[in-house]
Amino acid sequence: GFVWIPESVADYRRLKIRPRKLDASPRAGLTHGTVVFANHQSYTDVLYFTASASATFGFVAKDGKVARASLLTALRLACRFEVPSTAAETVDEASAACKRGGLGPLVVFAEAAKTNGNCILSWPAGIGKGFANSGESTACVLEYSKTGAYTPHHTTGTSMFRHTIQMLYQPYHTLSAVWLTADDVAEALKSREQGADTPATIRKVMGRAIPGIVPVATTGVQHADFIKYWSQTQGRKYVKSH
């Protein structure tokens, strides 16, 4: 279990933005339809955002559109290891639906795959085509413990049941959440390099929030293809010639 989950606001000096005018608190200003970009490592991400923000979730497809999901569907989608070709809504459309329906903030797992927390995968190029509502955007970077018999990172093709059982081998796990406020995101966008698009800028500043996490060129689709290959090879037997 997770006994205590510390939450904090990212240090503006790490983000390389101007100091905030007012002190901020984690999850400040979250409302229905607010877009929260987050890294993705386990189905426990879904449990955290449900408990802390009563969120709706957006799982990104290859074309940058999102599949909007409530808790039970999100738990199922968080355990998959393939990236669908398309989904029903753009980020803005999903955000607007959450706002109209009072469905809480929209947490977007923009990497389209899960990682071990050491990097932020490249986001699908199409995600920016349906995302113009940057004025109501925040971000959150989750960091789990990386030591012990088994960590919460769900990066191999094990089932949700098996993953949960293996996590129970460890008496407890740690999780911390570092939040970027809407003002942080707006300031980063204001000072971005010429020609940089909005999603790339948000991803870049997320990579500065916690030491040791770096944006990489690998995409979620490439990662999913590797997991598929890895899963297929686990049951094979190889004969070594002498």
Side-chain angles (χ1 to χ4, degrees):
F2 298 89
V3 179
W4 174 251
I5 303 176
E7 297 178 307
S8 62
V9 177
D11 188 329
Y12 68 87
R13 292 166 296 187
R14 286 199 56 83
L15 301 181
K16 299 182 181 179
I17 61 174
R18 291 190 301 179
R20 303 179 183 94
K21 295 180 180 179
L22 299 173
D23 290 338
S25 59
R27 293 182 276 121
L30 286 188
T31 187
H32 302 296
T34 301
V35 177
V36 182
F37 288 101
N39 59 335
H40 191 23
Q41 299 163 74
S42 175
Y43 75 85
T44 51
D45 304 343
V46 173
L47 299 178
Y48 165 71
F49 285 114
T50 298
S52 64
S54 299
T56 294
F57 300 90
F59 290 84
V60 176
K62 292 178 182 179
D63 62 357
K65 291 186 176 182
V66 298
R68 185 159 41 94
S70 57
L71 174 59
L72 294 180
T73 302
L75 288 172
R76 177 177 59 82
L77 294 178
C79 293
R80 70 182 181 185
F81 291 92
E82 69 280 349
V83 182
S85 297
T86 188
E89 300 173 306
T90 65
V91 173
D92 279 351
E93 289 169 346
S95 170
C98 290
K99 191 171 185 177
R100 289 193 305 269
L103 302 176
L106 175 71
V107 174
V108 177
F109 295 125
E111 296 170 288
K114 297 184 288 293
T115 73
N116 63 1
N118 290 330
C119 66
I120 298 180
L121 301 174
S122 290
W123 298 356
I127 197 170
K129 296 178 181 178
F131 177 62
N133 192 17
S134 56
E136 295 184 10
S137 303
T138 64
C140 182
V141 182
L142 301 180
E143 184 175 32
Y144 291 92
S145 52
K146 296 183 177 69
T147 59
Y150 190 85
T151 66
H153 309 98
H154 192 193
T155 55
T156 58
T158 55
S159 67
M160 180 180 180
F161 175 76
R162 182 177 177 184
H163 177 59
T164 302
I165 293 298
Q166 289 176 320
M167 279 202 298
L168 293 176
Y169 290 151
Q170 186 78 4
Y172 67 92
H173 301 276
T174 62
L175 167 62
S176 61
V178 178
W179 285 82
L180 286 72
T181 67
D183 287 342
D184 292 339
V185 172
E187 185 62 35
L189 293 174
K190 191 186 304 181
S191 59
R192 61 182 156 178
E193 298 175 1
Q194 187 174 4
D197 64 13
T198 295
T201 301
I202 296 175
R203 175 176 170 266
K204 184 176 181 179
V205 77
M206 286 175 65
R208 297 171 180 163
I210 294 178
I213 297 180
V214 294
V216 296
T218 302
T219 66
V221 175
Q222 291 171 318
H223 180 72
D225 288 344
F226 170 78
I227 294 299
K228 182 178 180 181
Y229 166 78
W230 184 91
S231 299
Q232 290 174 343
T233 59
Q234 293 310 292
R236 295 178 183 173
K237 296 182 179 180
Y238 297 91
V239 179
K240 184 177 180 180
S241 299
H242 294 282

